[in-house]
Amino acid sequence: MNNHERQIEKANTFIKENSNQKERDYQPTYHFTAPVGWLNDPNGLIQHKGIYHLFYQFHPYSADWGPMHWGHATSSDLVHWEHQPVALAPSEDYDLGNPGEGYGCFSGSAVVKDGDLFLLYTGHIDSKNPKEVQCLATTQDGIHFEKHPNNPIIDKPPHSLSNDFRDPKVWSYEDTWYMVVGTSHNGDGAAALFQSDDLINWEYCGPVAKSDGTLGDMWECPDLFPIQNKHALIFSPMKDEGHGKALIQVGDMDYDTKRFTKDYDVEIDQGFDLYAPQTFLDEKGRRILIAWMDHWASKFPTKEEGWAGAMTIPREIKLNNEGNVRFQPVEELKMLRAKEEQYHELNFTKSFSPETKGQSIEIKSSFDLSTTNSETFGLKVLKSDDGEEFTEIKYDAKTSKVTVDLNKAGHVSGIASAEVEPSEELLLHIYIDRCSVELFINNGEKVITNRVYPKNTSNQIEFFGEENVAVKELNVWELKK
């Protein structure tokens, strides 16, 4: 047994012995969480031989961030996930550091070559120079992984790049492998491009895209991919000026010049709790995104229960007829729907409460703005009996702005907002799951994602408005896994 196998066995034994030791009061019903310990970035998203694979940054031994492993789960439907053995653990001189420092198998991606699954990741050790290198792992069965003997396959960043050099995303184009790595180029955030014929020997092609000085000094978790007749680049900028935690740029990729040119960029999510999104192309031809549904400044109330971190629901990315990016929940989530409550042409003044209650709920509501007299209206979810605890979603007709107020949502605070295009209709599609609220506005024009931590008795829904509110259609579902 080599050292990697020993570290994998150690982690799996710990997980088996500790995963059911504490009650999880905040455990979501249908969002992915680790069996124990700390979870952050999704890694290696891929569908291989019909099975979806979700790898993720994982510290099994503590609910705090620590030496990074790769957790692993599989699914046949993107909804029901089965935990698998740990895929990667720090074990070598390029990813195993000393106690007290940051080290491990940092973020990366997965590809299929000649029918086999390959993982590419960053080996990180704080005290080494360079501190970050790119590595490869292989598998025979899709479950147990071996680190390649040629590791690290990229042993240092090119001279023009900083020592922050991580999170390889790999894909193939016309029989050539390409890789983008998050980095900094002359002090600005950038995505470095490499190419290879065999996944082992890589040639540096320069920065495929970089900041103009306003998009951060380091781009984490880059992801470059085709989408319809365009290309898109996703990254999570560090120390950016006025932008959110993750951006998507839509534009064109020129494989001759090895450069990506953006037409525009937008925030992927207007909420506080989305970071390090990654995408993959599934066998149905869909571009699907999953992200870490947390942020580094969070207090993580779940740590008292022995765990921290969750993933967003999977979202399909599309461009509409005008070329604007849209995010929609994947269709498979409909299989969670149980009891339904439905209304057509509903009008109310002051307030309305559906009969359905719960903390795992889906709500779809279509508001007729042409006949609604109330200047502001919305709904409160995860509301307590005494009305003191709730998450408020509100629309302001004057500003065409949707806000999500967390100041009474439990253990969190702040107001997230998104401005939408003026229209005669407002569509709100909401996924609630015990400790999270994900809001999709106007068929994915904007998305607002937030973690919340209400009492487990806060389960009511209440719509409100100052004057008459006209609802074309309202559907409320209980969701059960």
Side-chain angles (χ1 to χ4, degrees), residues 4 202 247 262 307:
H4 189 229
W202 292 89
L247 294 179
K262 74 170 182 177
W307 66 284

Side-chain angles (χ1 to χ4, degrees), residues 399-433:
T399 60
S400 295
K401 186 176 288 187
V402 177
T403 57
V404 179
D405 189 332
L406 307 177
N407 288 311
K408 294 188 177 181
H411 297 283
V412 291
S413 61
I415 300 175
S417 65
E419 189 172 338
V420 297
E421 291 294 325
S423 174
E424 292 190 348
E425 185 178 26
L426 175 69
L427 303 174
L428 301 182
H429 191 180
I430 308 162
Y431 282 86
I432 302 159
D433 194 11

Side-chain angles (χ1 to χ4, degrees), residues 365-367 425-429 439-444 472:
S365 54
S366 169
F367 297 91
E425 185 178 26
L426 175 69
L427 303 174
L428 301 182
H429 191 180
L439 168 62
F440 297 79
I441 307 167
N442 292 344
N443 294 316
K472 290 183 177 180

Side-chain angles (χ1 to χ4, degrees), residues 36-220:
V36 68
W38 167 277
L39 167 155
N40 59 289
D41 304 359
N43 299 149
L45 303 179
I46 198 167
Q47 188 177 20
H48 181 222
K49 297 180 179 178
I51 299 299
Y52 294 101
H53 292 259
L54 166 63
F55 301 88
Y56 55 93
Q57 291 286 272
F58 183 34
H59 184 219
Y61 302 112
S62 168
D64 293 313
W65 187 93
M68 283 291 96
H69 297 57
W70 274 36
H72 184 201
T74 55
S75 173
S76 61
D77 58 17
L78 289 171
V79 177
H80 302 89
W81 293 94
E82 179 182 354
H83 292 296
Q84 299 294 349
V86 169
L88 297 174
S91 62
E92 312 303 319
D93 61 2
Y94 48 80
D95 59 23
L96 177 61
N98 299 310
E101 70 173 333
Y103 66 86
C105 303
F106 276 26
S107 293
S109 54
V111 296
V112 175
K113 178 177 180 285
D114 299 327
D116 293 327
L117 192 60
F118 291 77
L119 303 183
L120 295 102
Y121 72 97
T122 296
H124 174 104
I125 302 175
D126 279 354
S127 60
K128 291 199 73 172
N129 187 17
K131 66 179 180 181
E132 293 178 326
V133 296
Q134 313 316 317
C135 307
L136 179 69
T138 62
T139 180
Q140 297 293 315
D141 58 7
I143 301 297
H144 305 92
F145 292 84
E146 297 179 0
K147 295 177 181 178
H148 199 278
N150 285 26
N151 279 345
I153 53 173
I154 302 179
D155 61 2
K156 60 185 177 183
H159 72 275
S160 61
L161 306 181
S162 76
N163 257 345
D164 288 310
F165 178 63
R166 55 183 174 270
D167 313 332
K169 181 63 184 285
V170 179
W171 72 98
S172 64
Y173 175 78
E174 293 187 348
D175 299 323
T176 299
W177 292 103
Y178 291 91
M179 173 197 293
V180 283
V181 181
T183 189
S184 176
H185 181 266
N186 296 327
D188 290 322
L193 183 68
F194 296 79
Q195 68 179 47
S196 172
D197 293 327
D198 57 9
L199 294 177
I200 299 170
N201 300 287
W202 292 89
E203 175 188 354
Y204 179 49
C205 305
V208 71
K210 59 182 293 188
S211 171
D212 59 4
T214 65
L215 300 179
D217 63 357
M218 159 66 189
W219 286 359
E220 292 194 300

Side-chain angles (χ1 to χ4, degrees), residues 460-474:
Q460 298 184 36
I461 303 165
E462 180 189 15
F463 288 81
F464 63 86
E466 299 162 338
E467 300 181 44
N468 178 68
V469 178
V471 183
K472 290 183 177 180
E473 187 167 356
L474 170 64

